[in-house]
Amino acid sequence: MTRPLRTAAVFFVPVVAWACYLFLLLPSVIVFPISFGTGGEFEFPPRAFSLELYRQFFTDAAWWGAMTQSLMIALMTALATTVLGLPAAYALQRASLPGAGLINGFIMGPLLVPVIVLGLGLYLQFAPWNLLNRDVSLFLSHTMLAVPFMMISVGASLRHLDPTLENAALIMGASKPAIFFKVVLPQLKAGIAAGALFAFLISFDEVIVAYFVTGPETQTLPVKMYSAMRWELSPVIAAASTLVTVFSILLAIGIMMLQRKEKQQ
Amino acid sequence: MTKDTFRISRRSFTKGAAVAAIGLAAPSVITGRARAADKSITVTSWGGDYHKSVEEVFAAPFTAETGIAVQLVDNGDMAKVKAQVLSNSVTWDIIDAPAAFATSGAKENLWEPLDSTLVATEGLLEKPNALYMPLYLYSGGILWNTERHPDGKHPVDFAGFFDTEKFPGRRCMRSLAPETLEAALVGDGVQPKDLYPLDVERAFAVLDRLKDNISKFAATTPEQVTSVSQNEADFSYSYYNRVKSAQKSGTPLDFSFAQTNNSLDFFAIPKGSKNKEAAMQFIAFCLRQDRQTAWALRGYYLPNTLKSVEEIKASPNGGFLPDLASGKNVVINAEWWGDNYTTVQKRYSEWMIS
Amino acid sequence: MNAQMKPPVAPSASSPLDKEPALAHLAEPSTPNAAASDAMIEVRGLSKLYNGVAALSDVTLSVGKGEFVTLLGPSGSGKSTLLNLISGMTTPTAGKILINGTDATTLPTNQRGLGMVFQNYALMPHMTVFQNIAFPLQVRKIGKDEIRQRVMDVLKLIQLEHVADRRPRELSGGQQQRISLARCIVYNPPLILMDEPLGALDKKLREGMQLEIKRLHADLGVTMLYVTHDQDEALTMSDRIVLMRGGKIEQQGTPEALYFKPQTVFSADFIGSSNLFPGKLSKDKGGLMLRCAAGAFDVPAADGAFVAGSAAVLLVRPENIMVETPADASGRQQIAATLKDTVVLGGIVRHFLETPAGEQIIAQELNQPNRARLMRGDAVKVSWRVDDGRLLPAERA
Amino acid sequence: MSSASDVSFLSPRSATLLVAPLGALLILFFAYPLILTVWQSFYEGGFTLRAYAELATSTLFYKVLRTTFVISFTATLVSLLIGYPVALHLSRQSPRKRTFYLMLVMLPFWTSILVKSFALTVLLGHSGIVNQALGFISGGTIQFPMVFNRFGAIVGMINYLLPFMILSILGSLLAQDGNLARAAEVMGAGPFRIFRKVTLPLSMPGVIAGIIINFTLSIGMYITPALLGGRQDMMIANLIDFYTRQTLDWPMASAISVVLLLISGALVTILGRVRGGAGVMGVA
């Protein structure tokens, strides 16, 4: 290999990586200044800076109501995804179930079906069962969408988990539930946190299924933004989005600090 | 007005009855259950500022007057209505339906027939159908940026919009066929009164000529506005109310009333609604002159009640009303689109992507 | 010279369930045998099939209280399966397991009260050393103060008190294995299973740990069942070795018995190194004689199983073989051979020889200074005392 | 011989109990709606193939299907080409730094896809930041049309897709034994050879998983391409939406969904068979 080629190779990976980080970040970052605009229009750079959009957001119950609704649905989704997905992932890893491959494929299914197909199907199903406009229908639908991510994330952690640890605990006299909570769970923390975060974000940003399933009391922020788009592109969504971004970053930093503290112990 | 609901509602009730008596609403609707304070109807809406206007202009005053609560639900689109009707679990009482929606809904047999008294309502600009009631009209026309295209440098009518030699520049158009085909035909010289039935072939021929100058097909109104404000297009087909709010925030946009397409928006009652009577009562209420005037002023719409039109025209704020009598403006024929929407929209989509 | 799975040949390899007492058929008398009542483990007619393939077939075994028994055998011989069955991590297809006098055949693992040490230590990475050792005590709902006391005691016993607050991954392999042992003995299980516990350690550490485990065994009086595929380890540590092959017990007995009195070619070959001369027996004067490719040898007196005309294998351990220059010939079993190679292993010298018939022979002797060296290619005589030979039944193909 | 590899820690019965709640959820909220959809595509008051027959002759459907594939394929390929070096970069960082960089990768997830689409028009538009910078550098001569065309659609999509690709490749890179690359290095292999012979083949399960996830997400997308794409960038999901919400022709919408399902099913099956694809499903 010639020297210039080698030099190019050395720089190739970091340069591409940094360009990519920039590309991923910019659209999110640019929303920040937009959110401090004067209101009325989506503009960059704003003509003047103000907190007008935030004032509009917090004084309009439809906005912050949708935001709290979204937060609640997303939290419930993250919780349900963990509660339902974790035992299943563990069972599939630690038992030789007949047809485990098929079960796996089935669980991964929601990842492989275009969401609009599911949106209509769910609507057709919920309408006669009088399940529309219920928080429970929405967060369970979102759970269905998010479960594959939990399975992938926890599955990766489980594969690194040495099964002899569980056998060792068993021989030492621990019950299987105790083993799950004291031996398995602590070691899956990172995987669960990642999976739950994914579930949270998927629910928080999901438009299409939510559009079909929600009603007036269950309207989520993305649906509110989406329907607002029909008549106006209210720059309030920039403020809403900034709030969400800041909130999520704080959440992520919190999780990171928690993990670090745990490591130091 | 929204406060102290119960006390006022008795008084308003008599007032409402009086209004009904002069023919704006059917007396039969008022009798019976109107006093039931626990009653509630659900009306669909479209989110954002539109939702707020309906709340302010129609829903809250109606509740204040009748004691019937009005719940507004966003995104009451046709698919949801059909699913409710099919599954016999109708939870909505009034559907706010744009033209194509109202007419297709009728074909799909989704609507409850309106009360005969309601259908017989007099003094309306557009006559009601047995299944759906026209509530107001909204005007679509040409939008431009006043800084990049000062007077004389932008089209004001459809002929100008389709004339790329006179007004070179990028166009933004709707991704839907209704209004677009009308604009094309009028732009090609067809008189608005001779439009229907639409000459679809001719319309597409006109669109073909413009195609290279179209930089964006917008699925939503905000996209039309942002495409011009962010310099992705020079002229766009758009709607005045949206332009108005952009103007308010200082964006240098303007809209021409020289020539507009005026589309109807309807109220219809889905088959199997459990609150039919209250729903009819609400529709009658919305057609009242004062409500229609308030609605038109709030959202820059053309009211469907003639007296309201006259009232606004006489006022200093009436500049936004298109003159339907001038012969230049188009009223979109909902029935024609009801019969042809699917075929023509498919063809339009195909044309768009090829 | 053949350690593959083959059908067993030794009469001792298995015994029917109804034959009592369990070890009655054993030829070796020196086994610290135990009556059924004070056996820690009693395994009767145990079989395990995986997808129709027998991993263990009809095994009967008894381990006395306080005994140190090693399960030895190559991969796939069934020793780990047997261990898993005793620990309860898998259930038998047939047979019975008694632990400490009670039927444990279907008892869940966590109710068997066992201890186990794993090859990969199986320490919880998310717990400190202290928490790891305290775990089995917490499971037993023992009070905080007592836990602290007992954990510190065992840490003292293994001389690792200073690492109590560290995480396992900060420790060396040997330290981790000692923690693993400590975690096992802290709750005084009457029976400790060890699954190749020293397999991941280097030679020097391994030898140190072997002694430490022996010391603990002696101090605690606990019963230990130890699995290994390393014959030296088995010979060093065990009271008794159970040699397994193809899902059955090939032979069991004390290390001496297995070394000096193997009953099958497999046993002879697996434990220690060996020279094997397959041939045919014939009558010669008062005794028997084996005719094989290398020549005809007198064989030691043997029981009635060996008769003239039958096939047999003669085993001679390398250390019993003398390598001499032809002049030194004296009245022993003697064959001519050529020296192919000599390897010096510190105190021991190993000669690799070949007979004119092409058979390989290994001889071993102590390395002594001032000794005349044989050169590669030298023609020599190899010889052994007739009594040092051992007659084995021929392997059935 | 490992002591536990041939032993199941959980009995089939308790495992079934643990999987059952999730199974029930998925049957109710995933399988049942899908069955309804399939049923819908064949049943209009009686069994009929009307929708499929109409699809078979619809040039609009074929065109949109082709567009969807071209766009999805391109978006997937581009995010693979970008995502791989990024995953490689991430895998070479210390855990602490990696957490930081991973946050950069995850950040786009925190921003609503709707907002991001508008932000991208601000960035890439005619008077957008990028074009203004280009104009400034070139003295106003150079401008690239970057939104409201296919480029814009794909840029918007990969902004959404990239994190999925990066994370799934990173997973299989981190699972690799560092000794293998070191061994290859000792044997005298240059960095390119090590990458080609060791790192790349071992990361194939992650690559394939990333491709599958990206592709299936792509073919179901429509809001981003609609907001950022040009007139020709109509996606199949758009067409489903059209039949679902605008013309109420649900048998057609369902039939298109069924076709889409079959295609993504076939894709998963084919890619799943590629070496290493067994790990695609994540858990097994």
Side-chain angles (χ1 to χ4, degrees), chain A residues 145-200:
Chain A
L145 289 176
V147 146
F149 292 94
M150 177 60 84
M151 300 299 273
I152 289 172
S153 170
V154 171
S157 301
L158 265 172
R159 271 195 298 279
H160 290 136
L161 189 69
D162 181 358
T164 47
L165 294 180
E166 289 141 74
N167 286 326
L170 198 64
I171 287 174
M172 285 188 273
S175 65
K176 287 195 177 172
I179 292 171
F180 182 77
F181 286 107
K182 287 188 177 156
V183 177
V184 178
L185 211 54
Q187 297 186 72
L188 295 182
K189 258 190 217 158
I192 296 169
L197 206 61
F198 256 111
F200 182 92

Side-chain angles (χ1 to χ4, degrees), chain C residues 2-41:
Chain C
N2 171 353
Q4 285 152 357
M5 287 217 288
K6 271 193 182 164
V9 279
S12 63
S14 67
S15 102
L17 187 61
D18 52 355
K19 232 190 217 170
E20 291 286 352
L23 303 179
H25 61 283
L26 282 179
E28 309 306 327
S30 58
T31 313
N33 200 351
S37 60
D38 42 68
M40 178 54 68
I41 308 173

Side-chain angles (χ1 to χ4, degrees), chain A residues 23-131:
Chain A
F23 165 64
L24 288 174
L25 282 180
L26 267 181
S28 302
V29 167
I30 207 168
V31 178
F32 274 69
I34 292 174
S35 76
F36 291 102
T38 46
E41 283 301 297
F42 217 81
E43 51 181 24
F44 183 87
R47 269 163 247 217
F49 288 95
S50 80
L51 290 173
E52 172 61 21
L53 297 172
Y54 291 91
R55 193 194 60 77
Q56 284 182 27
F57 181 88
F58 283 108
T59 49
D60 186 348
W63 276 114
W64 59 259
M67 168 110 139
T68 49
Q69 172 71 12
S70 271
L71 280 175
M72 207 184 70
I73 295 287
L75 280 175
M76 307 246 282
T77 302
L79 194 72
T81 309
T82 311
V83 169
L84 294 174
L86 185 59
Y90 183 63
L92 286 171
Q93 188 84 12
R94 286 291 185 263
S96 41
L97 273 182
L102 275 180
I103 298 174
N104 250 322
F106 182 55
I107 292 174
M108 289 296 131
L111 198 60
L112 310 177
V113 177
V115 187
I116 183 127
V117 178
L118 290 170
L120 176 64
L122 284 167
Y123 192 81
L124 291 176
Q125 174 186 8
F126 289 158
W129 294 359
N130 204 14
L131 275 175

